[in-house]
Amino acid sequence: MNGKDERAGAAPGVRAAASGAAGQGRGGARAGRRPSGPGGFAARLRRGLWRGVLTLTGGVETRGRLPRGGCVVVANHTSHADTAALLAALDARHAPAIGAAADYWFASRYRARICRRLAAGFPVRRSGGGMDDLLAHVPALRAGGAVVLFPEGTRGRDGALGAFHKGALVLAERAGVPVVPVGIAGTGRLLPKHGRLRPALVRVRIGEPLAPSTTPEAARDAVAALHDRTVADPLADSPVRKRIARVAGSKRGLALAFTWALAEALSWPLMPELLLGAVCVAVPRRALKLSLAALAGSLAGGVLALQLAASGVELPAPLTTDRMRAEVRHELALEAAGAVRHQPWNGVPFKVYAKEAGHAQVPPGDFLAAAARARGTRTLAVGLAFGAFGFLAHRHRRRYGTYLVLLGGGFAAGLTMIVTGWS
C-alpha cells in the first residue's frame, strides 16, 4: 500500500522500510501490539472479506503457504490491490500486518481507521523514525506473526521490479525469522496504477523461506522468479471456450444473438437464453451487449410474427401445444397487449404470444411496448446472471465443455417438463 507520490521526501533507507506497510504516524510505538494475535478473529474476517471481494472481481488463486512461526513477507508491488491479494492469500493464523507510508495512509483519522481495520495496517514514517516503526514489530514476529512489506518502496509499472531496500531484511534479522518471497500477478490488470478497477484473476505464489541474513539482491531475485513463473504459467482453458469467446467477443457475436432471438420469436424452438448461457459465461464482459442484442432480436421478431399472423401467414411453431395457445388467447381477451407480461414466468414461448396477438389484431405498438418490459426484464436478468457466473467461475474455465453439457442437459430437461405440463 503506497501513496500517490510515495517516493517524494523519503530517504532511501526509510522509504525501503516503509514500503508496503500501513503506517500509524505518531502511534508508531504501538505497532508491536498485534490486535488479534495469530489466528485471531479479526485476521480471519479480513481474509474472508478480501477473498470474497477478489472472487467477485475475477477470482484469486494461491500456491504455497507460509512456514510455521513468524516471518517477514516481501512481495512485488504494482497495484494497491496487492494488499488485498496478500490478505486473501496468507494464513490468518499469522495475523499478517501490512506496512504503509504514514504520511499517506495515515494522513487523516478516517483513512487511518480504514487502513487499520481493513488492511491490518501499521504506520511507517518516511521522514525519520521509519526503522523504529518496523523494529517495533519484533515481538509480534517472535510470537509467530507475519509482517508484509513491499521493499521496492513504490508501485512499479509493467511488472518490472525495482531495487529492494534493506528495511525488511533488517527487521527479519533482528527478530530471527525467515524472509518469505511472494510473487503476485494480475493485480496490475485488476487495479492499474492511476487506472480503474476491472475484472481480472489474481494469482499469488508463496516461495520457500530465505535466511534472515539474505541480501536485498537475493530477495529481489527470488520475488522476481516467482512473479515471472506465475505470469508465464498459462491458466488452463477450454479450446471450446476459446472458440466461442472469439465469436462472442466480435460483431459476429452480436449478430448471432440478434438473429437467434429473432428466429425464436418467429419459429425456432430454442430460447435465446440458451445462447446467452453459453456466450455470456465464455465472455462475461460482453454479457450486457449480447443480452441487449438478443432483446432487440426478440422484439423485432415478435412484431414481425404479429404482423405475419395478422396477414394470415402461419409459421410453424414446434414444441408448442393447443393448451398454450388457448391460454394465451384467454389472457389476450382479458388484458390485450398487457397479457405478454405473463410470458417470462409461465413457460409459454414468446412466439405463441406474438402469433396470437396478431390473430387478435392487437396494435403492434402496444404489443412492442408491453413485450419490451416483459422480455427486457427476463432477457437482461438472465444474461447478466450468466455473465456474473462467468466472472466467478473464471479460474475454472478449463471445465467450460462440461458446463456446456450440463447447460444443454438442464435446458432439455426443463423444456421437456414445460411442454409436458402444457400438453
Side-chain angles (χ1 to χ4, degrees), residues 314 316-332 348 352-353 355-356 359 422:
E314 295 293 328
L319 301 182
T320 62
T321 68
D322 290 337
R323 187 181 168 203
M324 289 179 181
R325 288 182 279 275
E327 177 64 22
V328 172
R329 284 194 292 269
H330 175 68
E331 292 175 356
L332 288 168
V348 177
V352 175
Y353 278 88
K355 181 182 290 188
E356 294 302 327
H359 292 158
W422 281 100

mmCIF file with all atom_site columns, all heavy atoms in Angstrom, residues 314 316-332 348 352-353 355-356 359 422:
data_model
loop_
_atom_site.group_PDB
_atom_site.id
_atom_site.type_symbol
_atom_site.label_atom_id
_atom_site.label_alt_id
_atom_site.label_comp_id
_atom_site.label_asym_id
_atom_site.label_entity_id
_atom_site.label_seq_id
_atom_site.pdbx_PDB_ins_code
_atom_site.Cartn_x
_atom_site.Cartn_y
_atom_site.Cartn_z
_atom_site.occupancy
_atom_site.B_iso_or_equiv
_atom_site.pdbx_formal_charge
_atom_site.auth_seq_id
_atom_site.auth_comp_id
_atom_site.auth_asym_id
_atom_site.auth_atom_id
_atom_site.pdbx_PDB_model_num
ATOM 1   N N   . GLU A 1 314 ? -49.079 -18.272 -41.555 1.00 0.00 ? 314 GLU A N   1
ATOM 2   C CA  . GLU A 1 314 ? -48.895 -19.156 -40.410 1.00 0.00 ? 314 GLU A CA  1
ATOM 3   C C   . GLU A 1 314 ? -47.522 -19.831 -40.484 1.00 0.00 ? 314 GLU A C   1
ATOM 4   O O   . GLU A 1 314 ? -47.262 -20.622 -41.374 1.00 0.00 ? 314 GLU A O   1
ATOM 5   C CB  . GLU A 1 314 ? -50.001 -20.222 -40.374 1.00 0.00 ? 314 GLU A CB  1
ATOM 6   C CG  . GLU A 1 314 ? -51.390 -19.660 -40.143 1.00 0.00 ? 314 GLU A CG  1
ATOM 7   C CD  . GLU A 1 314 ? -51.564 -19.066 -38.758 1.00 0.00 ? 314 GLU A CD  1
ATOM 8   O OE1 . GLU A 1 314 ? -50.923 -19.574 -37.808 1.00 0.00 ? 314 GLU A OE1 1
ATOM 9   O OE2 . GLU A 1 314 ? -52.317 -18.080 -38.628 1.00 0.00 ? 314 GLU A OE2 1
ATOM 10  N N   . PRO A 1 316 ? -44.557 -22.318 -38.790 1.00 0.00 ? 316 PRO A N   1
ATOM 11  C CA  . PRO A 1 316 ? -44.548 -23.484 -37.894 1.00 0.00 ? 316 PRO A CA  1
ATOM 12  C C   . PRO A 1 316 ? -44.116 -23.076 -36.491 1.00 0.00 ? 316 PRO A C   1
ATOM 13  O O   . PRO A 1 316 ? -43.295 -22.167 -36.314 1.00 0.00 ? 316 PRO A O   1
ATOM 14  C CB  . PRO A 1 316 ? -43.536 -24.431 -38.544 1.00 0.00 ? 316 PRO A CB  1
ATOM 15  C CG  . PRO A 1 316 ? -42.694 -23.564 -39.413 1.00 0.00 ? 316 PRO A CG  1
ATOM 16  C CD  . PRO A 1 316 ? -43.571 -22.455 -39.891 1.00 0.00 ? 316 PRO A CD  1
ATOM 17  N N   . ALA A 1 317 ? -44.659 -23.736 -35.492 1.00 0.00 ? 317 ALA A N   1
ATOM 18  C CA  . ALA A 1 317 ? -44.331 -23.433 -34.096 1.00 0.00 ? 317 ALA A CA  1
ATOM 19  C C   . ALA A 1 317 ? -44.059 -24.728 -33.344 1.00 0.00 ? 317 ALA A C   1
ATOM 20  O O   . ALA A 1 317 ? -44.896 -25.219 -32.584 1.00 0.00 ? 317 ALA A O   1
ATOM 21  C CB  . ALA A 1 317 ? -45.466 -22.662 -33.437 1.00 0.00 ? 317 ALA A CB  1
ATOM 22  N N   . PRO A 1 318 ? -42.892 -25.333 -33.569 1.00 0.00 ? 318 PRO A N   1
ATOM 23  C CA  . PRO A 1 318 ? -42.578 -26.607 -32.894 1.00 0.00 ? 318 PRO A CA  1
ATOM 24  C C   . PRO A 1 318 ? -42.511 -26.448 -31.383 1.00 0.00 ? 318 PRO A C   1
ATOM 25  O O   . PRO A 1 318 ? -42.212 -25.371 -30.856 1.00 0.00 ? 318 PRO A O   1
ATOM 26  C CB  . PRO A 1 318 ? -41.212 -26.978 -33.486 1.00 0.00 ? 318 PRO A CB  1
ATOM 27  C CG  . PRO A 1 318 ? -40.624 -25.683 -33.957 1.00 0.00 ? 318 PRO A CG  1
ATOM 28  C CD  . PRO A 1 318 ? -41.775 -24.846 -34.397 1.00 0.00 ? 318 PRO A CD  1
ATOM 29  N N   . LEU A 1 319 ? -42.773 -27.548 -30.701 1.00 0.00 ? 319 LEU A N   1
ATOM 30  C CA  . LEU A 1 319 ? -42.716 -27.619 -29.239 1.00 0.00 ? 319 LEU A CA  1
ATOM 31  C C   . LEU A 1 319 ? -43.701 -26.650 -28.578 1.00 0.00 ? 319 LEU A C   1
ATOM 32  O O   . LEU A 1 319 ? -43.443 -26.123 -27.489 1.00 0.00 ? 319 LEU A O   1
ATOM 33  C CB  . LEU A 1 319 ? -41.297 -27.365 -28.728 1.00 0.00 ? 319 LEU A CB  1
ATOM 34  C CG  . LEU A 1 319 ? -40.222 -28.331 -29.242 1.00 0.00 ? 319 LEU A CG  1
ATOM 35  C CD1 . LEU A 1 319 ? -38.867 -28.002 -28.632 1.00 0.00 ? 319 LEU A CD1 1
ATOM 36  C CD2 . LEU A 1 319 ? -40.602 -29.775 -28.932 1.00 0.00 ? 319 LEU A CD2 1
ATOM 37  N N   . THR A 1 320 ? -44.836 -26.379 -29.235 1.00 0.00 ? 320 THR A N   1
ATOM 38  C CA  . THR A 1 320 ? -45.933 -25.640 -28.610 1.00 0.00 ? 320 THR A CA  1
ATOM 39  C C   . THR A 1 320 ? -47.171 -26.537 -28.627 1.00 0.00 ? 320 THR A C   1
ATOM 40  O O   . THR A 1 320 ? -47.229 -27.507 -29.381 1.00 0.00 ? 320 THR A O   1
ATOM 41  C CB  . THR A 1 320 ? -46.223 -24.319 -29.344 1.00 0.00 ? 320 THR A CB  1
ATOM 42  O OG1 . THR A 1 320 ? -46.631 -24.604 -30.683 1.00 0.00 ? 320 THR A OG1 1
ATOM 43  C CG2 . THR A 1 320 ? -44.981 -23.435 -29.373 1.00 0.00 ? 320 THR A CG2 1
ATOM 44  N N   . THR A 1 321 ? -48.144 -26.211 -27.801 1.00 0.00 ? 321 THR A N   1
ATOM 45  C CA  . THR A 1 321 ? -49.328 -27.062 -27.680 1.00 0.00 ? 321 THR A CA  1
ATOM 46  C C   . THR A 1 321 ? -50.605 -26.242 -27.823 1.00 0.00 ? 321 THR A C   1
ATOM 47  O O   . THR A 1 321 ? -50.595 -25.005 -27.677 1.00 0.00 ? 321 THR A O   1
ATOM 48  C CB  . THR A 1 321 ? -49.346 -27.766 -26.312 1.00 0.00 ? 321 THR A CB  1
ATOM 49  O OG1 . THR A 1 321 ? -49.564 -26.784 -25.279 1.00 0.00 ? 321 THR A OG1 1
ATOM 50  C CG2 . THR A 1 321 ? -48.049 -28.500 -26.043 1.00 0.00 ? 321 THR A CG2 1
ATOM 51  N N   . ASP A 1 322 ? -51.709 -26.946 -28.090 1.00 0.00 ? 322 ASP A N   1
ATOM 52  C CA  . ASP A 1 322 ? -53.006 -26.268 -28.197 1.00 0.00 ? 322 ASP A CA  1
ATOM 53  C C   . ASP A 1 322 ? -53.393 -25.606 -26.881 1.00 0.00 ? 322 ASP A C   1
ATOM 54  O O   . ASP A 1 322 ? -53.998 -24.527 -26.872 1.00 0.00 ? 322 ASP A O   1
ATOM 55  C CB  . ASP A 1 322 ? -54.089 -27.285 -28.592 1.00 0.00 ? 322 ASP A CB  1
ATOM 56  C CG  . ASP A 1 322 ? -53.921 -27.764 -30.030 1.00 0.00 ? 322 ASP A CG  1
ATOM 57  O OD1 . ASP A 1 322 ? -53.294 -27.026 -30.824 1.00 0.00 ? 322 ASP A OD1 1
ATOM 58  O OD2 . ASP A 1 322 ? -54.407 -28.865 -30.349 1.00 0.00 ? 322 ASP A OD2 1
ATOM 59  N N   . ARG A 1 323 ? -53.029 -26.231 -25.777 1.00 0.00 ? 323 ARG A N   1
ATOM 60  C CA  . ARG A 1 323 ? -53.359 -25.633 -24.479 1.00 0.00 ? 323 ARG A CA  1
ATOM 61  C C   . ARG A 1 323 ? -52.632 -24.310 -24.273 1.00 0.00 ? 323 ARG A C   1
ATOM 62  O O   . ARG A 1 323 ? -53.186 -23.370 -23.689 1.00 0.00 ? 323 ARG A O   1
ATOM 63  C CB  . ARG A 1 323 ? -53.011 -26.622 -23.359 1.00 0.00 ? 323 ARG A CB  1
ATOM 64  C CG  . ARG A 1 323 ? -53.477 -26.152 -21.997 1.00 0.00 ? 323 ARG A CG  1
ATOM 65  C CD  . ARG A 1 323 ? -53.109 -27.134 -20.920 1.00 0.00 ? 323 ARG A CD  1
ATOM 66  N NE  . ARG A 1 323 ? -53.299 -26.550 -19.606 1.00 0.00 ? 323 ARG A NE  1
ATOM 67  C CZ  . ARG A 1 323 ? -52.692 -26.956 -18.500 1.00 0.00 ? 323 ARG A CZ  1
ATOM 68  N NH1 . ARG A 1 323 ? -51.839 -27.965 -18.563 1.00 0.00 ? 323 ARG A NH1 1
ATOM 69  N NH2 . ARG A 1 323 ? -52.935 -26.384 -17.340 1.00 0.00 ? 323 ARG A NH2 1
ATOM 70  N N   . MET A 1 324 ? -51.386 -24.218 -24.721 1.00 0.00 ? 324 MET A N   1
ATOM 71  C CA  . MET A 1 324 ? -50.656 -22.946 -24.657 1.00 0.00 ? 324 MET A CA  1
ATOM 72  C C   . MET A 1 324 ? -51.404 -21.868 -25.419 1.00 0.00 ? 324 MET A C   1
ATOM 73  O O   . MET A 1 324 ? -51.621 -20.750 -24.933 1.00 0.00 ? 324 MET A O   1
ATOM 74  C CB  . MET A 1 324 ? -49.244 -23.112 -25.240 1.00 0.00 ? 324 MET A CB  1
ATOM 75  C CG  . MET A 1 324 ? -48.272 -23.918 -24.425 1.00 0.00 ? 324 MET A CG  1
ATOM 76  S SD  . MET A 1 324 ? -46.668 -24.021 -25.288 1.00 0.00 ? 324 MET A SD  1
ATOM 77  C CE  . MET A 1 324 ? -45.729 -25.032 -24.163 1.00 0.00 ? 324 MET A CE  1
ATOM 78  N N   . ARG A 1 325 ? -51.801 -22.204 -26.639 1.00 0.00 ? 325 ARG A N   1
ATOM 79  C CA  . ARG A 1 325 ? -52.478 -21.221 -27.483 1.00 0.00 ? 325 ARG A CA  1
ATOM 80  C C   . ARG A 1 325 ? -53.819 -20.798 -26.877 1.00 0.00 ? 325 ARG A C   1
ATOM 81  O O   . ARG A 1 325 ? -54.180 -19.614 -26.908 1.00 0.00 ? 325 ARG A O   1
ATOM 82  C CB  . ARG A 1 325 ? -52.658 -21.784 -28.892 1.00 0.00 ? 325 ARG A CB  1
ATOM 83  C CG  . ARG A 1 325 ? -51.347 -21.853 -29.669 1.00 0.00 ? 325 ARG A CG  1
ATOM 84  C CD  . ARG A 1 325 ? -51.552 -22.359 -31.088 1.00 0.00 ? 325 ARG A CD  1
ATOM 85  N NE  . ARG A 1 325 ? -51.644 -23.826 -31.099 1.00 0.00 ? 325 ARG A NE  1
ATOM 86  C CZ  . ARG A 1 325 ? -50.592 -24.638 -31.150 1.00 0.00 ? 325 ARG A CZ  1
ATOM 87  N NH1 . ARG A 1 325 ? -49.357 -24.142 -31.180 1.00 0.00 ? 325 ARG A NH1 1
ATOM 88  N NH2 . ARG A 1 325 ? -50.750 -25.953 -31.178 1.00 0.00 ? 325 ARG A NH2 1
ATOM 89  N N   . ALA A 1 326 ? -54.538 -21.755 -26.297 1.00 0.00 ? 326 ALA A N   1
ATOM 90  C CA  . ALA A 1 326 ? -55.821 -21.417 -25.682 1.00 0.00 ? 326 ALA A CA  1
ATOM 91  C C   . ALA A 1 326 ? -55.632 -20.493 -24.479 1.00 0.00 ? 326 ALA A C   1
ATOM 92  O O   . ALA A 1 326 ? -56.397 -19.530 -24.290 1.00 0.00 ? 326 ALA A O   1
ATOM 93  C CB  . ALA A 1 326 ? -56.534 -22.698 -25.249 1.00 0.00 ? 326 ALA A CB  1
ATOM 94  N N   . GLU A 1 327 ? -54.614 -20.763 -23.675 1.00 0.00 ? 327 GLU A N   1
ATOM 95  C CA  . GLU A 1 327 ? -54.348 -19.916 -22.510 1.00 0.00 ? 327 GLU A CA  1
ATOM 96  C C   . GLU A 1 327 ? -53.979 -18.500 -22.935 1.00 0.00 ? 327 GLU A C   1
ATOM 97  O O   . GLU A 1 327 ? -54.445 -17.510 -22.342 1.00 0.00 ? 327 GLU A O   1
ATOM 98  C CB  . GLU A 1 327 ? -53.214 -20.526 -21.677 1.00 0.00 ? 327 GLU A CB  1
ATOM 99  C CG  . GLU A 1 327 ? -52.785 -19.695 -20.480 1.00 0.00 ? 327 GLU A CG  1
ATOM 100 C CD  . GLU A 1 327 ? -53.877 -19.546 -19.438 1.00 0.00 ? 327 GLU A CD  1
ATOM 101 O OE1 . GLU A 1 327 ? -54.801 -20.386 -19.400 1.00 0.00 ? 327 GLU A OE1 1
ATOM 102 O OE2 . GLU A 1 327 ? -53.813 -18.568 -18.652 1.00 0.00 ? 327 GLU A OE2 1
ATOM 103 N N   . VAL A 1 328 ? -53.157 -18.371 -23.971 1.00 0.00 ? 328 VAL A N   1
ATOM 104 C CA  . VAL A 1 328 ? -52.742 -17.046 -24.433 1.00 0.00 ? 328 VAL A CA  1
ATOM 105 C C   . VAL A 1 328 ? -53.931 -16.291 -25.018 1.00 0.00 ? 328 VAL A C   1
ATOM 106 O O   . VAL A 1 328 ? -54.088 -15.079 -24.797 1.00 0.00 ? 328 VAL A O   1
ATOM 107 C CB  . VAL A 1 328 ? -51.598 -17.174 -25.463 1.00 0.00 ? 328 VAL A CB  1
ATOM 108 C CG1 . VAL A 1 328 ? -51.294 -15.823 -26.105 1.00 0.00 ? 328 VAL A CG1 1
ATOM 109 C CG2 . VAL A 1 328 ? -50.343 -17.724 -24.779 1.00 0.00 ? 328 VAL A CG2 1
ATOM 110 N N   . ARG A 1 329 ? -54.799 -16.968 -25.766 1.00 0.00 ? 329 ARG A N   1
ATOM 111 C CA  . ARG A 1 329 ? -55.990 -16.302 -26.292 1.00 0.00 ? 329 ARG A CA  1
ATOM 112 C C   . ARG A 1 329 ? -56.861 -15.773 -25.165 1.00 0.00 ? 329 ARG A C   1
ATOM 113 O O   . ARG A 1 329 ? -57.403 -14.664 -25.240 1.00 0.00 ? 329 ARG A O   1
ATOM 114 C CB  . ARG A 1 329 ? -56.779 -17.264 -27.186 1.00 0.00 ? 329 ARG A CB  1
ATOM 115 C CG  . ARG A 1 329 ? -56.166 -17.485 -28.541 1.00 0.00 ? 329 ARG A CG  1
ATOM 116 C CD  . ARG A 1 329 ? -57.143 -18.157 -29.499 1.00 0.00 ? 329 ARG A CD  1
ATOM 117 N NE  . ARG A 1 329 ? -57.440 -19.545 -29.092 1.00 0.00 ? 329 ARG A NE  1
ATOM 118 C CZ  . ARG A 1 329 ? -56.757 -20.594 -29.514 1.00 0.00 ? 329 ARG A CZ  1
ATOM 119 N NH1 . ARG A 1 329 ? -55.726 -20.449 -30.352 1.00 0.00 ? 329 ARG A NH1 1
ATOM 120 N NH2 . ARG A 1 329 ? -57.092 -21.823 -29.125 1.00 0.00 ? 329 ARG A NH2 1
ATOM 121 N N   . HIS A 1 330 ? -56.994 -16.563 -24.097 1.00 0.00 ? 330 HIS A N   1
ATOM 122 C CA  . HIS A 1 330 ? -57.786 -16.135 -22.947 1.00 0.00 ? 330 HIS A CA  1
ATOM 123 C C   . HIS A 1 330 ? -57.168 -14.901 -22.293 1.00 0.00 ? 330 HIS A C   1
ATOM 124 O O   . HIS A 1 330 ? -57.873 -13.930 -21.940 1.00 0.00 ? 330 HIS A O   1
ATOM 125 C CB  . HIS A 1 330 ? -57.881 -17.287 -21.943 1.00 0.00 ? 330 HIS A CB  1
ATOM 126 C CG  . HIS A 1 330 ? -58.570 -16.927 -20.664 1.00 0.00 ? 330 HIS A CG  1
ATOM 127 N ND1 . HIS A 1 330 ? -59.913 -16.635 -20.602 1.00 0.00 ? 330 HIS A ND1 1
ATOM 128 C CD2 . HIS A 1 330 ? -58.087 -16.791 -19.385 1.00 0.00 ? 330 HIS A CD2 1
ATOM 129 C CE1 . HIS A 1 330 ? -60.252 -16.348 -19.352 1.00 0.00 ? 330 HIS A CE1 1
ATOM 130 N NE2 . HIS A 1 330 ? -59.150 -16.436 -18.599 1.00 0.00 ? 330 HIS A NE2 1
ATOM 131 N N   . GLU A 1 331 ? -55.851 -14.897 -22.108 1.00 0.00 ? 331 GLU A N   1
ATOM 132 C CA  . GLU A 1 331 ? -55.174 -13.753 -21.490 1.00 0.00 ? 331 GLU A CA  1
ATOM 133 C C   . GLU A 1 331 ? -55.306 -12.505 -22.360 1.00 0.00 ? 331 GLU A C   1
ATOM 134 O O   . GLU A 1 331 ? -55.522 -11.390 -21.849 1.00 0.00 ? 331 GLU A O   1
ATOM 135 C CB  . GLU A 1 331 ? -53.698 -14.092 -21.258 1.00 0.00 ? 331 GLU A CB  1
ATOM 136 C CG  . GLU A 1 331 ? -53.458 -15.160 -20.190 1.00 0.00 ? 331 GLU A CG  1
ATOM 137 C CD  . GLU A 1 331 ? -51.992 -15.549 -20.079 1.00 0.00 ? 331 GLU A CD  1
ATOM 138 O OE1 . GLU A 1 331 ? -51.184 -15.032 -20.892 1.00 0.00 ? 331 GLU A OE1 1
ATOM 139 O OE2 . GLU A 1 331 ? -51.658 -16.377 -19.221 1.00 0.00 ? 331 GLU A OE2 1
ATOM 140 N N   . LEU A 1 332 ? -55.159 -12.663 -23.685 1.00 0.00 ? 332 LEU A N   1
ATOM 141 C CA  . LEU A 1 332 ? -55.279 -11.520 -24.586 1.00 0.00 ? 332 LEU A CA  1
ATOM 142 C C   . LEU A 1 332 ? -56.692 -10.932 -24.553 1.00 0.00 ? 332 LEU A C   1
ATOM 143 O O   . LEU A 1 332 ? -56.863 -9.701  -24.640 1.00 0.00 ? 332 LEU A O   1
ATOM 144 C CB  . LEU A 1 332 ? -54.918 -11.934 -26.012 1.00 0.00 ? 332 LEU A CB  1
ATOM 145 C CG  . LEU A 1 332 ? -53.428 -12.192 -26.271 1.00 0.00 ? 332 LEU A CG  1
ATOM 146 C CD1 . LEU A 1 332 ? -53.224 -12.884 -27.615 1.00 0.00 ? 332 LEU A CD1 1
ATOM 147 C CD2 . LEU A 1 332 ? -52.643 -10.875 -26.242 1.00 0.00 ? 332 LEU A CD2 1
ATOM 148 N N   . VAL A 1 348 ? -44.686 -20.396 -21.569 1.00 0.00 ? 348 VAL A N   1
ATOM 149 C CA  . VAL A 1 348 ? -45.229 -20.369 -22.927 1.00 0.00 ? 348 VAL A CA  1
ATOM 150 C C   . VAL A 1 348 ? -44.261 -19.580 -23.821 1.00 0.00 ? 348 VAL A C   1
ATOM 151 O O   . VAL A 1 348 ? -43.877 -18.463 -23.481 1.00 0.00 ? 348 VAL A O   1
ATOM 152 C CB  . VAL A 1 348 ? -46.627 -19.713 -22.954 1.00 0.00 ? 348 VAL A CB  1
ATOM 153 C CG1 . VAL A 1 348 ? -47.140 -19.620 -24.389 1.00 0.00 ? 348 VAL A CG1 1
ATOM 154 C CG2 . VAL A 1 348 ? -47.589 -20.497 -22.084 1.00 0.00 ? 348 VAL A CG2 1
ATOM 155 N N   . VAL A 1 352 ? -45.725 -17.746 -29.362 1.00 0.00 ? 352 VAL A N   1
ATOM 156 C CA  . VAL A 1 352 ? -47.161 -18.014 -29.217 1.00 0.00 ? 352 VAL A CA  1
ATOM 157 C C   . VAL A 1 352 ? -47.898 -16.715 -28.909 1.00 0.00 ? 352 VAL A C   1
ATOM 158 O O   . VAL A 1 352 ? -48.969 -16.436 -29.474 1.00 0.00 ? 352 VAL A O   1
ATOM 159 C CB  . VAL A 1 352 ? -47.405 -19.066 -28.119 1.00 0.00 ? 352 VAL A CB  1
ATOM 160 C CG1 . VAL A 1 352 ? -48.905 -19.260 -27.887 1.00 0.00 ? 352 VAL A CG1 1
ATOM 161 C CG2 . VAL A 1 352 ? -46.748 -20.384 -28.486 1.00 0.00 ? 352 VAL A CG2 1
ATOM 162 N N   . TYR A 1 353 ? -47.332 -15.900 -28.021 1.00 0.00 ? 353 TYR A N   1
ATOM 163 C CA  . TYR A 1 353 ? -47.949 -14.604 -27.707 1.00 0.00 ? 353 TYR A CA  1
ATOM 164 C C   . TYR A 1 353 ? -47.971 -13.706 -28.939 1.00 0.00 ? 353 TYR A C   1
ATOM 165 O O   . TYR A 1 353 ? -48.968 -13.025 -29.213 1.00 0.00 ? 353 TYR A O   1
ATOM 166 C CB  . TYR A 1 353 ? -47.193 -13.931 -26.562 1.00 0.00 ? 353 TYR A CB  1
ATOM 167 C CG  . TYR A 1 353 ? -47.598 -14.425 -25.204 1.00 0.00 ? 353 TYR A CG  1
ATOM 168 C CD1 . TYR A 1 353 ? -46.979 -15.518 -24.633 1.00 0.00 ? 353 TYR A CD1 1
ATOM 169 C CD2 . TYR A 1 353 ? -48.620 -13.803 -24.495 1.00 0.00 ? 353 TYR A CD2 1
ATOM 170 C CE1 . TYR A 1 353 ? -47.350 -15.989 -23.382 1.00 0.00 ? 353 TYR A CE1 1
ATOM 171 C CE2 . TYR A 1 353 ? -49.008 -14.261 -23.246 1.00 0.00 ? 353 TYR A CE2 1
ATOM 172 C CZ  . TYR A 1 353 ? -48.372 -15.356 -22.689 1.00 0.00 ? 353 TYR A CZ  1
ATOM 173 O OH  . TYR A 1 353 ? -48.757 -15.820 -21.456 1.00 0.00 ? 353 TYR A OH  1
ATOM 174 N N   . LYS A 1 355 ? -47.885 -14.539 -32.186 1.00 0.00 ? 355 LYS A N   1
ATOM 175 C CA  . LYS A 1 355 ? -48.819 -15.026 -33.210 1.00 0.00 ? 355 LYS A CA  1
ATOM 176 C C   . LYS A 1 355 ? -50.276 -14.799 -32.788 1.00 0.00 ? 355 LYS A C   1
ATOM 177 O O   . LYS A 1 355 ? -51.103 -14.312 -33.579 1.00 0.00 ? 355 LYS A O   1
ATOM 178 C CB  . LYS A 1 355 ? -48.573 -16.504 -33.467 1.00 0.00 ? 355 LYS A CB  1
ATOM 179 C CG  . LYS A 1 355 ? -49.493 -17.083 -34.536 1.00 0.00 ? 355 LYS A CG  1
ATOM 180 C CD  . LYS A 1 355 ? -49.258 -18.571 -34.725 1.00 0.00 ? 355 LYS A CD  1
ATOM 181 C CE  . LYS A 1 355 ? -47.918 -18.828 -35.379 1.00 0.00 ? 355 LYS A CE  1
ATOM 182 N NZ  . LYS A 1 355 ? -47.759 -20.271 -35.754 1.00 0.00 ? 355 LYS A NZ  1
ATOM 183 N N   . GLU A 1 356 ? -50.620 -15.127 -31.534 1.00 0.00 ? 356 GLU A N   1
ATOM 184 C CA  . GLU A 1 356 ? -51.995 -14.954 -31.088 1.00 0.00 ? 356 GLU A CA  1
ATOM 185 C C   . GLU A 1 356 ? -52.375 -13.485 -30.981 1.00 0.00 ? 356 GLU A C   1
ATOM 186 O O   . GLU A 1 356 ? -53.539 -13.115 -31.180 1.00 0.00 ? 356 GLU A O   1
ATOM 187 C CB  . GLU A 1 356 ? -52.195 -15.661 -29.737 1.00 0.00 ? 356 GLU A CB  1
ATOM 188 C CG  . GLU A 1 356 ? -52.066 -17.176 -29.810 1.00 0.00 ? 356 GLU A CG  1
ATOM 189 C CD  . GLU A 1 356 ? -53.051 -17.795 -30.799 1.00 0.00 ? 356 GLU A CD  1
ATOM 190 O OE1 . GLU A 1 356 ? -54.171 -17.263 -30.968 1.00 0.00 ? 356 GLU A OE1 1
ATOM 191 O OE2 . GLU A 1 356 ? -52.684 -18.811 -31.417 1.00 0.00 ? 356 GLU A OE2 1
ATOM 192 N N   . HIS A 1 359 ? -53.458 -12.620 -34.411 1.00 0.00 ? 359 HIS A N   1
ATOM 193 C CA  . HIS A 1 359 ? -54.820 -13.114 -34.665 1.00 0.00 ? 359 HIS A CA  1
ATOM 194 C C   . HIS A 1 359 ? -55.861 -12.230 -33.994 1.00 0.00 ? 359 HIS A C   1
ATOM 195 O O   . HIS A 1 359 ? -56.960 -12.030 -34.515 1.00 0.00 ? 359 HIS A O   1
ATOM 196 C CB  . HIS A 1 359 ? -54.964 -14.549 -34.152 1.00 0.00 ? 359 HIS A CB  1
ATOM 197 C CG  . HIS A 1 359 ? -54.147 -15.529 -34.935 1.00 0.00 ? 359 HIS A CG  1
ATOM 198 N ND1 . HIS A 1 359 ? -53.763 -16.759 -34.428 1.00 0.00 ? 359 HIS A ND1 1
ATOM 199 C CD2 . HIS A 1 359 ? -53.623 -15.469 -36.196 1.00 0.00 ? 359 HIS A CD2 1
ATOM 200 C CE1 . HIS A 1 359 ? -53.056 -17.404 -35.341 1.00 0.00 ? 359 HIS A CE1 1
ATOM 201 N NE2 . HIS A 1 359 ? -52.951 -16.637 -36.421 1.00 0.00 ? 359 HIS A NE2 1
ATOM 202 N N   . TRP A 1 422 ? -47.809 -28.446 -20.359 1.00 0.00 ? 422 TRP A N   1
ATOM 203 C CA  . TRP A 1 422 ? -48.812 -27.715 -21.154 1.00 0.00 ? 422 TRP A CA  1
ATOM 204 C C   . TRP A 1 422 ? -49.513 -28.612 -22.163 1.00 0.00 ? 422 TRP A C   1
ATOM 205 O O   . TRP A 1 422 ? -50.266 -28.121 -22.997 1.00 0.00 ? 422 TRP A O   1
ATOM 206 C CB  . TRP A 1 422 ? -48.159 -26.548 -21.881 1.00 0.00 ? 422 TRP A CB  1
ATOM 207 C CG  . TRP A 1 422 ? -47.939 -25.346 -20.992 1.00 0.00 ? 422 TRP A CG  1
ATOM 208 C CD1 . TRP A 1 422 ? -46.795 -24.968 -20.393 1.00 0.00 ? 422 TRP A CD1 1
ATOM 209 C CD2 . TRP A 1 422 ? -48.936 -24.385 -20.612 1.00 0.00 ? 422 TRP A CD2 1
ATOM 210 N NE1 . TRP A 1 422 ? -46.969 -23.836 -19.675 1.00 0.00 ? 422 TRP A NE1 1
ATOM 211 C CE2 . TRP A 1 422 ? -48.287 -23.444 -19.790 1.00 0.00 ? 422 TRP A CE2 1
ATOM 212 C CE3 . TRP A 1 422 ? -50.295 -24.225 -20.896 1.00 0.00 ? 422 TRP A CE3 1
ATOM 213 C CZ2 . TRP A 1 422 ? -48.959 -22.344 -19.223 1.00 0.00 ? 422 TRP A CZ2 1
ATOM 214 C CZ3 . TRP A 1 422 ? -50.959 -23.135 -20.336 1.00 0.00 ? 422 TRP A CZ3 1
ATOM 215 C CH2 . TRP A 1 422 ? -50.311 -22.224 -19.518 1.00 0.00 ? 422 TRP A CH2 1
#
